[in-house]
Structure formats: structure tokens, C-alpha cells
Amino acid sequence: MVPVSHASKVGPKVKRSYVHVSAPGGHRQFYQDLFAGLFGLEAVTGRVGPRLWLDLVKARHLLFATIDDDYAGFIAVALARSLFGRRTVGLFLRPSKCFESGRLVYRLKRWAFRCLRRLPHLSLFTILPFKFDRRFAQIAHGWVHDPQMWDMHDGAALTQTSQLSRDVLAAAGGRAILCFLGSVRKSKGFEFLADILSDHPDLAKDVFVAAVGRVDPACNDDCARLIAAGGMVVDRFVSDDELLSLYKVCDLAWCCYGPDYDQASGIFGRSVQLGTRPIIRKGAYLENYAQEDAVAPVCLTYGDTRDAAAHIAAAAANRSDKAARSDGAVRLGEIVGGWRADFVRKIRATL
């Protein structure tokens, strides 16, 4: 990774400005690269040890892109910077964890961030709107939309094709395409998807299912069931370009995650922006986006395979031409563009 340099006009002693993530990879790398470019920050990666702690405390501007990955390091830096009167901005990716029950660590997180919220010069934002859960206002100062909801709303970065997307399109043979994109895990509802196809084999007559991404060994049996039901599994690392090319050919994207995985979703965000209907769990945070005029997810009752098969079949029967959907998404472009502008305004004002 090549860091984005922060321009300096003062000389070698000028304090540097950073965007920090604990570990690169996946959406974390995406966040870091995006924020570095948007706000002129230098990328820095790693768990917060003594040397990095000192560098971050001394920074002129500091954005923690993923505070959930290193709570202790974030708190240690935020406390010190507050003491010295320096601003710190942090993004909370999984705020709902502070309100779960059953483990002492959840109560400790809730208490810690309620206290941190009172620190001067610290700005905490969730990447889920407060209307999704009013309790988020107890642990953060404000909210912004997940960047994966607005980063490519104009479709400019959409890869036209790839060998993988051509293979999926050929295998579908004219049927509607449902893609499970990204790492294949039970928490993301893969077992439920396999159950739907196994319990309702006639669905395969109208819908072709492709799961694309590295498979957790715990899902091997579910993969075998999905393949036996006529689906496809591509168990390997899939590049960003390949993933983007699949949005061009698929009609439905699986975002129906388990109740314990209730959080923002990059797959959902990309689906909304690129004209693919997302399939989500009824009652999930993501369902709230259905209130936006241009977002029309397919909502499933988690665990009910008959209900799910009926809704998926109906969505497949009513699919429209992808190009026509993309060309007519003017209202969606306005909504998503507003999300982006709001994010940039709020973060820039607090850095």
C-alpha cells in the first residue's frame, strides 16, 4: 500500500495528519484509502503500541477509521489528545455491540463510550443513522452513512465484465441471478440460503444462485447442498474488479444476514448504488433503508424457507432490465449523493 502524502508548507517539523486502521484488508483498506484521498490524510496502520501512540497523539489531524478493531488503543490516544487540546475523530462500525447483553464486555463498552462522549475535542460517529437505534446517541456525537453506501453511486467505477461474470451469466442460462458475494460464513446467512434451495428445489428453475468468495470450512456441507440444488460455489479470493463485474450481471444480492450479524453491509451499499436488488432480513437495521424512495429490498423472515422462496421467486419474476434500472436511477443518485456530501461535511468540520 502506498500512503497518501499530506502536503506540507511549513517545513520538516510540521505535525502530520493521519487516518488510522488497525489492520489492512477488506473494507478497512477501502475506508483508509478513501478517507486519505478525501481529506488529505496519510495512511497509518497497526495496533497502537508506544511508538505509534506517540505519533498519533502528536498528529495535527487524526481520523480513526475503525475504532472497533482496537478499543484500548483508540481510548489511550483520544484521552491524551483531549488533554492536549487536539481534535480526534472516530468511526464506530458496530455500535450495537455496546447494547448487547450476556457478557460483561458489552456493559464495559457501553460505560466507556458514554464517558468518552463527554471528552472535549473528541467526535464519535456511527456509520448507522440514530433513527435505526436511538440508543446510539448515548455513545456517539453523531452519525454518517457507511461510505460503502455512497462511494460509487454514479457507477463510474463499475467494471464492464470479467471471466467470472461471464461464467456466471453463461451458467444461469437466462434465469434470474442471485449472488452471495464475499466471504461465505454462517453469520451471513449462508446456511439459510442453502436451506431455501434444498427445501424448494423448483426455485432453481427460475433462479440461479452463485456464491463467490472464500468459504469458511464450517460451511462446507452447506456448499455441497447448494451445488446439489443447482447452484455454483467459487471458493477463492475474488478481486474487487471481479466483485464489481458481478453486480452488472446479477439481479439479486444476498444481504440476509443472521440476527447476530446486524450491522452495515458493503454488499448492500454496492447493490443499492449499482441497481441490484438486495435481499435482507426482515427486522434488520438494513430494512430501515427501505424508507428511502429508491431503495426496494426483498425482505425475508429469517429461517422461514417457504416465505423466502416465495419472495425470491416473485422478485425474479418481476426483474427488469438492468440497463433500464441503472439509466432511470436519477432519484437514487440524488439520495446517495446527499449521503456522500453529508459525510464529507461532518467529518471535515470535526477534523
Side-chain angles (χ1 to χ4, degrees):
M1 178 185 67
V2 180
V4 176
S5 298
H6 179 65
S8 171
K9 299 180 180 179
V10 183
K13 292 185 179 180
V14 68
K15 295 183 178 69
R16 300 163 84 175
S17 298
Y18 297 119
V19 53
H20 172 269
V21 298
S22 293
H27 67 276
R28 290 163 177 79
Q29 187 69 66
F30 159 77
Y31 285 146
Q32 190 174 46
D33 293 344
L34 178 66
F35 301 156
L38 278 176
F39 303 113
L41 305 174
E42 182 177 348
V44 61
T45 303
R47 302 286 291 185
V48 178
R51 175 63 183 273
L52 183 54
W53 175 86
L54 183 60
D55 287 344
L56 295 179
V57 169
K58 292 164 58 179
R60 182 178 182 183
H61 302 287
L62 179 61
L63 170 59
F64 274 84
T66 55
I67 66 175
D68 310 67
D69 293 339
D70 187 0
Y71 289 119
F74 169 74
I75 292 171
V77 171
L79 285 170
R81 287 179 62 84
S82 178
L83 181 64
F84 291 117
R86 294 172 183 156
R87 292 183 177 185
T88 307
V89 181
L91 289 184
F92 223 141
L93 307 190
R94 297 183 295 276
S96 59
K97 289 294 182 183
C98 290
F99 301 100
E100 293 188 9
S101 58
R103 294 178 59 189
L104 177 61
V105 66
Y106 298 138
R107 293 197 296 273
L108 290 176
K109 286 179 184 178
R110 183 164 63 250
W111 175 83
F113 281 94
R114 280 174 174 169
C115 294
L116 283 172
R117 192 179 177 282
R118 299 175 181 272
L119 279 182
H121 312 296
L122 174 63
S123 297
L124 287 168
F125 294 95
T126 67
I127 61 168
L128 289 171
F130 284 178
K131 69 179 181 180
F132 288 13
D133 191 328
R134 297 296 179 184
R135 296 175 299 177
F136 293 166
Q138 299 175 21
I139 58 171
H141 301 95
W143 61 269
V144 289
H145 284 289
D146 184 347
Q148 291 180 110
M149 292 291 297
W150 49 256
D151 64 304
M152 53 178 61
H153 68 276
D154 58 0
L158 183 59
T159 299
Q160 291 302 306
T161 187
S162 71
Q163 186 58 53
L164 179 57
S165 66
R166 290 192 291 271
D167 290 344
V168 169
L169 193 62
R175 290 172 290 173
I177 298 173
L178 189 165
C179 280
F180 186 109
L181 302 172
S183 57
V184 176
R185 304 197 303 269
K186 288 184 180 292
S187 62
K188 295 171 67 175
F190 187 73
E191 183 177 16
F192 180 37
L193 177 58
D195 288 342
I196 295 168
L197 293 180
S198 296
D199 292 351
H200 304 278
D202 286 347
L203 187 62
K205 296 177 181 177
D206 302 307
V207 181
F208 178 70
V209 177
V212 180
R214 284 182 174 145
V215 175
D216 185 319
C219 292
N220 285 342
D221 290 344
D222 296 325
C223 285
R225 290 195 294 138
L226 188 142
I227 292 171
M232 170 191 288
V233 175
V234 179
D235 179 11
R236 65 171 174 83
F237 170 79
V238 181
S239 71
D240 289 342
D241 284 346
E242 287 179 310
L243 284 173
L244 289 172
S245 74
L246 289 170
Y247 287 103
K248 183 176 178 63
V249 300
C250 76
D251 301 282
L252 303 164
W254 184 267
C255 308
C256 187
Y257 308 142
D260 294 334
Y261 194 84
D262 198 6
Q263 58 191 59
S265 165
I267 303 300
F268 176 87
R270 297 292 171 80
S271 300
V272 168
Q273 295 179 78
L274 300 175
T276 298
R277 288 190 73 184
I279 300 175
I280 65 173
R281 176 175 57 83
K282 190 174 295 184
Y285 285 137
L286 295 178
E287 189 178 10
N288 288 273
Y289 280 103
Q291 298 172 14
E292 303 291 352
D293 294 348
V295 181
V298 180
C299 296
L300 308 184
T301 300
Y302 199 83
D304 187 337
T305 62
R306 178 178 295 181
D307 171 84
H311 278 82
I312 292 172
N318 294 322
R319 62 180 169 144
S320 58
D321 180 73
K322 290 279 292 185
R325 283 209 306 269
S326 297
D327 291 343
V330 176
R331 172 61 178 155
L332 177 58
E334 293 174 351
I335 292 172
V336 174
W339 292 344
R340 177 189 180 99
D342 181 69
F343 182 98
V344 172
R345 177 182 59 80
K346 288 177 178 176
I347 300 300
R348 184 166 285 154
T350 52
L351 271 176

